[in-house]
Each structure stands twice: as structure tokens, then as C-alpha cells.
């Protein structure tokens, strides 16, 4: 049997690689893919409830929940603004605090060892139990909810940023040291840019955690506003449409927040390999 060179068929003609799809086709497909996934999930949900005649008290259909949201836009917008503000403040405070702490941890072994027990302690404490404590300390305003959201986000931000600041290219580090670059020059030109993928990864996770923290703070903090309160009232009074409407709005806020962060990440990290399609720019779907 005659061996043929790699990439050639039996008659010696070189095989051509599959044609690459145009970039605009790939981008359109990537944009439509999440919508297709949601349509499939909600379609199965709707089909299951209707075919098996599930009681609306047990599980309403997505269509009925959407109709309810369309009928009550002002109600949900008013409460969503409260929860969104609390979550945003908690997210921002956690980010700022983690950047400061992680920076000192990355530059000092002593600070790292002194901070780790506190981080482990916070990570091991159920954050929900802190909501009544913050309520006692700060009253019935927005701060107890903001602080619960802050605690939820602080650990992921700090751990990821610390890992990113320490995960630098040793060759680049030695190069900067060889030209007598100072500690803060190395930080701004090497450590911080290299830590951004870790920070954005934590940021995506913390979008949902900030909302969870705000909702838990509203549920356990004596709140009369916010989507956490509307969900709690819906559960207690068997207002199923209100309960599921609150859940849908929270999910929508989380999705929009992740999409916004993804857009920022794409622009900021254009230089990083994480923004390439699998297999590089020539990858096909």
C-alpha cells in the first residue's frame, strides 16, 4: 500500500481546509445563541406546565408571568430601582475594598498571612445571619442591605484580584527589575494589567452575588421596598404572579449586568488571549 502525504487524497490532490465562515456570520450566530437557549428553556417550561396541567400555585407558565409584568411595569420598576441601587453600592464598595486589600497582600507576605484568617472567617460565616446584625447597627435604611451585598462580593473580588496580582510573567517581572523599575511602576505596568482577567471573572460572579445580598438584606432587614420584599410578600400571601414576577425581574437585571460587564471586558481586554474565539481568529462555528 502506498502511503500518501498528509493532507492529500488518494490521487495526490491536496485537501482544502473547510471554508471559513464570514466574521459577520459568526458574530450574528454568537449573538443569537443565548436567545435560542432561552427560547428552548422557556418553551420546555411552557410545554411541561400546559401538557401536565400543573397548578399555577405550583408553577405558573412563563407567558402568564410575562403578561403580569407587562400589566404592572411601574410597580416592578419602582422596587427594582431600590434593589439595583443597593446591589450597585455593595458591588462598588466590595470592589474598592478588595483592590486595596489585595494590593497590600500581593506586596507583603506579612499582610497576606494576617489577612487570610479574616477572609476565611468571613467566607465561613453565613452572610444571611449578618442582616439582622446590620439592622441593629444601622437601622431600617439602605445601609444594612448595602453591607450584606458588600460582604457577599468581597471574598470573590479579593481572592481573584490577589491571585491575579501574584500571577505575573516572571520574565517580564525580571525585565522591569533590570531597568530599575520601582514597585508601583511594576504594579501599574505589569501586575494590575495582568490581574484584569481575574478581576473581570470575579466581577461577573459578583453581579449575581450583589443582587443576592441586596435581596437577602431586604428579606431579613425589615425592608418595605425592593424586589426582595415583593418576593417575600408574594410568598407569604400566595401572590404567585408577584413572586415569580420578582424572580424574573431579578434575573433580567442579572443578565443585563453581565452583558454590560462583558461589553466592558471585551473593550478593556482586547489585548488578552481570553477574548479570542477557540482556535484563534480562524475558528469556525
Amino acid at each position: 500500500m502506498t502511503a500518501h502525504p498528509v493532507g492529500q487524497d488518494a490521487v495526490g490532490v491536496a485537501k482544502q481546509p473547510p471554508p471559513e465562515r464570514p466574521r459577520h456570520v459568526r458574530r450574528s450566530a454568537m449573538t443569537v445563541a443565548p436567545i435560542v437557549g432561552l427560547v428552548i428553556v422557556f418553551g420546555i417550561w411552557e410545554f411541561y406546565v400546559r401538557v401536565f396541567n400543573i397548578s399555577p400555585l405550583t408553577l405558573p407558565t412563563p407567558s402568564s408571568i410575562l403578561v403580569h409584568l407587562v400589566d404592572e411595569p411601574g410597580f416592578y420598576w419602582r422596587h427594582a430601582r431600590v434593589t439595583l441601587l443597593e446591589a450597585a453600592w455593595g458591588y462598588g464598595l466590595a470592589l474598592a475594598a478588595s483592590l486595596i486589600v489585595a494590593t497590600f497582600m500581593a506586596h507583603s507576605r506579612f499582610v497576606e498571612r494576617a489577612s487570610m484568617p479574616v477572609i476565611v472567617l468571613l467566607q465561613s460565616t453565613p452572610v444571611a445571619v449578618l442582616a439582622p446584625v446590620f439592622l441593629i447597627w444601622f437601622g431600617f435604611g439602605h445601609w444594612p442591605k448595602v453591607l450584606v451585598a458588600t460582604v457577599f462580593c468581597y471574598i470573590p473580588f479579593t481572592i481573584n484580584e490577589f491571585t491575579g496580582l501574584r500571577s505575573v510573567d516572571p520574565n517580564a517581572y525580571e525585565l522591569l527589575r533590570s531597568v530599575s523599575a520601582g514597585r508601583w511602576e511594576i504594579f501599574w505596568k505589569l501586575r494590575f494589567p495582568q490581574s484584569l482577567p481575574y478581576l473581570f471573572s470575579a466581577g461577573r460572579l459578583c453581579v449575581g452575588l450583589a443582587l443576592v445580598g441586596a435581596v437577602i438584606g431586604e428579606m431579613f432587614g425589615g425592608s418595605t421596598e425592593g424586589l426582595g420584599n415583593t418576593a417575600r410578600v408574594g410568598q407569604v400571601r400566595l401572590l404567585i404572579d408577584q413572586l415569580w414576577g420578582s424572580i424574573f425581574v431579578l434575573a433580567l437585571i442579572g443578565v443585563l449586568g453581565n452583558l454590560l460587564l462583558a461589553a466592558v471586558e471585551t473593550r478593556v481586554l482586547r489585548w488578552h488571549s481570553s477574548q479570542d474565539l477557540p482556535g484563534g481568529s480562524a475558528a469556525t462555528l
Side-chain angles (χ1 to χ4, degrees), residues 180-200:
S180 302
R183 176 176 294 184
W184 289 108
E185 188 176 3
I186 293 175
F187 174 81
W188 287 114
K189 291 185 177 180
L190 180 62
R191 287 190 184 273
F192 184 70
Q194 292 295 325
S195 72
L196 286 177
Y198 295 84
L199 192 61
F200 275 107

Side-chain angles (χ1 to χ4, degrees), residues 65-82:
I65 300 171
L66 292 175
V67 169
H68 170 71
L69 290 174
V70 172
D71 290 339
E72 298 287 346
F75 174 82
Y76 287 102
W77 170 244
R78 183 172 69 255
H79 290 283
R81 283 189 304 176
V82 175

